[in-house]
Amino acid sequence: MSFVMPNFALAIPEIWLLAMICLVLVVDLFSPGRESAAAFYLSQVALLGAMWLAIQAQWGLDVVDFNGTYVADSLAAVLKVSIAGFAFLAYAYSRDYLRQRNLLRGEFYLIGLFAVLGGFVMSSAANMLTLYLGLELMSLSLYAMVAFDRDSRIASEAAMKYFVLGALSSGMLLYGMSMIYGGAGSLELSAIAEAAAAAGSGDILLAFGLTFALVGVAFKFGAVPFHMWVPDVYQGAATPTTLFIGTVSKVAAVPLFLRLIGEGLGALHGDWHVMAMIIAVASLVIGSLFALVQDNFKRLLGYSTIAHIGFLFLGFIAGTDEGYSAALFYAISYSLMAAAAFGMIVVLSRRGHEADAIDDLRGLNERSTGMALVMLVVMFSMTGVPGTVGFYAKYAVLKAVIDAGHVWLAVVAVLFAVISAFYYLRVLKAVYFDRLEGNTEAIPASATVRWVCGLNGLAVLALGIFPGWLFAVCRTALGG
C-alpha cells in the first residue's frame, strides 16, 4: 500500500498549540523575574490562536485523514473553541491568586496547555488509539495541576486519590477498547460502527467492551458511582485548578462519549442506554442529596457538578442528534456557570485564607453589589429558573429524553432539580440576607479579576437572554 501524505492543514490547531507550548517553555526558561508574565500572555495568545484556527480549518468540513485516525468536522471545531475558551478564562482568573501564594510559575500554564492539547486530540479522534492518547495526555496534565501546590498536604492527598482512581478507570477504558477491537477487528470508529450495526446486540465481546468503556467514560465525567474523586479534588486543589477541571475537562469529556459510544457504538443503543439511565438517575440522586449537607462551597459545587452530569447524560440517553446537541449545549452552558461560581471564590480569597466556605459569602451584597448580582445570576441559572441559560439547557435535554419515550426520566430529573434549588438558594441567603460580623471588608481581588468575574456573569446572563445562537451552533455541529 502506497503512502499518502496527510493534509497537515487540517490539524493546524494542534500544530499551532504544540509549537506555542515549545515557545512558552523556552521563553519562560529565560525570562527574568518570577511572575512568568511572558508565559501568561503567550499562553493566552496560544489559546486565542487555537480557537481561531479551529474555526477556520475545521468548521463546515467532514474529512477523515491521517490514515483514518483524525477527523476534521464542525463538532471538533465547536469542542476545541469551547475547551480553549474555558482554559483562557481559567488563566485570566488565576494570575493574581497564584501570585499571592508564590505559585506563579510558567509550569502552571504549560501543564494547562498540554491538557488543552489532549482535549483537542480527543475532539478530532476518529480512532480509538487517538482517543486514548488524547485522554491520557489530558488526564496526566490534570493530575499534575492538582498537585501543583507541593506544600499543601490536602492538595497532595487529592492528587493521589485522583491519580489512583484515574489510573483504574483508564485501565478499564483500555480493557473495554481492547474488547471492542477484538469484536470489530478495527480501531477506526467508522469500522467499529459498521461492525456493531452488523452484529447487533448479540455480540458478547462488543457488549462487554461497551460496558467497560462506559465505566471509563463515566469516571471522566465524574458520574455516579464513579464520582468519589470529585468533591475531594474540588476541595483539595487550588481554586484555579478546580476551575480548570470543572470547565475544561467537562467539555473535553463530551467527545469521549460522542466519538466512542455515540458514533462508534451507536448501533448498540439498546444495550448502553439502560446503563446510561442508571448512571443518570444515580448522579441526580447522589449529587442533589449530598449537596444539601455541605458547608464547604467547593464541595457543594462538586456534588452539584455530579447532579448536572446526571442531566447531561439525559441527552446522551436519547441517542439522537437532537439529544447529543442538547448534551453539548448543556456542557458548554454549565461550564460557563461553573467558571463564574469558582471565580467568585478566587475573587473573595486572599493570602492565607481560601474563601471556600458558604459563610465566606455572608454579606457579599454589602461588600460588592456587582459581585452579588453575578452570584444571583449564576445560582438562578444553575437552579434552572426560567429565563436563564440553565433553564434552557435543562429544557433541551428533558425535551430530547421525552421525545425518546422516557417520560419517567424527565419527571425524576425535574424532581431533583427542585430539590437542588434548596442549596442554591441557601448560597443566595448568605449573599443577601446574612450579615457580616464587625466592619464590612473590601473585596480583596484586584480590579482585573473582578472585571473578569463580572464579564463571566454577564456572559451567563446574555446566553440566558439569547440562547438560540448557541443552540443553532450545537445542532449544526451534530449534523442537525
Side-chain angles (χ1 to χ4, degrees):
M1 186 175 68
S2 61
F3 174 75
V4 177
M5 181 66 71
N7 183 4
F8 288 99
L10 294 174
I12 193 64
E14 288 82 2
I15 295 171
W16 159 264
L17 198 54
L18 186 57
M20 289 301 293
I21 287 172
C22 296
L23 180 62
V24 171
L25 178 62
V26 174
V27 170
D28 184 64
L29 182 63
F30 293 102
S31 61
R34 299 182 58 189
E35 294 195 352
S36 301
F40 170 76
Y41 290 113
L42 282 174
S43 297
Q44 296 294 63
V45 169
L47 293 169
L48 290 175
M51 294 165 67
W52 183 79
L53 290 170
I55 296 171
Q56 294 297 315
Q58 299 186 347
W59 178 259
L61 298 181
D62 188 10
V63 179
V64 177
D65 207 335
F66 292 88
N67 199 28
T69 62
Y70 185 94
V71 59
D73 58 9
S74 297
L75 176 59
V78 172
L79 288 165
K80 290 173 185 179
V81 169
S82 302
I83 291 168
F86 287 121
F88 182 93
L89 189 57
Y91 284 174
Y93 274 118
S94 67
R95 192 154 183 248
D96 286 348
Y97 180 101
L98 297 173
R99 181 193 292 115
Q100 292 172 5
R101 290 153 182 80
N102 297 321
L103 295 173
L104 189 54
R105 297 188 292 272
E107 290 91 333
F108 181 84
Y109 305 116
L110 281 166
I111 293 170
L113 289 177
F114 273 116
V116 171
L117 181 59
F120 275 31
V121 172
M122 279 196 291
S123 299
S124 284
N127 182 292
M128 286 197 297
L129 183 60
T130 311
L131 195 65
Y132 189 76
L133 288 175
L135 174 64
E136 287 307 295
L137 179 57
M138 168 168 269
S139 297
L140 292 172
S141 302
L142 294 180
Y143 302 151
M145 286 188 81
V146 175
F148 191 74
D149 185 1
R150 291 174 294 181
D151 296 328
S152 171
R153 182 191 60 81
I154 188 172
S156 300
E157 180 181 341
M160 186 57 67
K161 290 179 181 177
Y162 193 18
F163 173 73
V164 172
L165 293 173
L168 182 62
S169 75
S170 294
M172 289 185 177
L173 178 62
L174 190 60
Y175 187 46
M177 286 180 171
S178 68
M179 289 186 176
I180 294 169
Y181 172 69
S186 176
L187 291 171
E188 294 183 17
L189 296 176
S190 58
I192 292 170
E194 293 175 3
S201 58
D203 193 312
I204 299 299
L205 198 57
L206 280 177
F208 270 102
L210 166 64
T211 303
F212 281 99
L214 193 57
V215 168
V217 171
F219 177 90
K220 299 307 176 184
F221 274 105
V224 176
F226 315 104
H227 66 289
M228 302 80 70
W229 61 274
V230 175
D232 290 338
V233 170
Y234 276 31
Q235 182 181 6
T239 303
T241 299
T242 306
L243 195 158
F244 193 98
I245 294 174
T247 57
V248 174
S249 72
K250 292 298 175 282
V251 176
V254 172
L256 184 61
F257 189 101
L258 293 182
R259 298 296 191 194
L260 179 59
I261 309 296
E263 294 181 14
L265 298 169
L268 302 182
H269 179 260
D271 292 331
W272 62 254
H273 90 285
V274 177
M275 292 183 281
M277 282 183 188
I278 296 171
I279 290 172
V281 172
S283 298
L284 288 166
V285 173
I286 298 298
S288 299
L289 296 183
F290 276 70
L292 291 172
V293 296
Q294 301 303 317
D295 293 321
N296 184 283
F297 190 40
K298 287 168 77 173
R299 288 188 75 87
L300 185 151
L301 290 175
Y303 282 109
S304 165
T305 297
I306 295 168
H308 283 286
I309 293 303
F311 267 99
L312 182 68
F313 264 74
L314 295 182
F316 293 151
I317 289 166
T320 61
D321 287 344
E322 190 70 22
Y324 292 151
S325 60
L328 178 59
F329 178 85
Y330 199 104
I332 296 171
S333 302
Y334 170 72
S335 296
L336 190 63
M337 295 183 284
F342 287 114
M344 190 61 65
I345 299 175
V346 174
V347 167
L348 298 177
S349 296
R350 61 181 183 274
R351 184 192 294 270
H353 177 69
E354 191 80 2
D356 59 354
I358 295 177
D359 282 347
D360 290 314
L361 298 169
R362 291 167 63 96
L364 178 60
N365 188 46
E366 299 174 15
R367 302 169 67 184
S368 173
T369 303
M371 293 297 100
L373 282 173
V374 170
M375 186 58 79
L376 176 69
V377 170
V378 172
M379 291 297 105
F380 273 9
S381 188
M382 285 192 171
T383 305
V385 174
T388 64
V389 66
F391 169 79
Y392 293 115
K394 286 181 169 63
Y395 171 79
V397 295
L398 289 175
K399 181 179 183 300
V401 82
I402 289 173
D403 289 344
H406 306 298
V407 178
W408 70 272
L409 264 180
V411 172
V412 171
V414 170
L415 173 63
F416 282 97
V418 173
I419 292 173
S420 70
F422 176 82
Y423 51 81
Y424 293 129
L425 294 177
R426 180 184 170 203
V427 172
L428 292 179
K429 173 182 175 293
V431 170
Y432 281 96
F433 298 102
D434 292 350
R435 295 288 179 263
L436 282 172
E437 298 178 2
N439 296 328
T440 302
E441 300 178 4
I443 298 291
S446 67
T448 301
V449 177
R450 292 200 302 271
W451 269 104
V452 171
C453 191
L455 291 173
N456 192 170
L458 188 62
V460 174
L461 180 62
L463 196 56
I465 298 172
F466 306 106
W469 69 271
L470 184 56
F471 266 128
V473 168
C474 292
R475 285 196 188 100
T476 302
L478 270 301

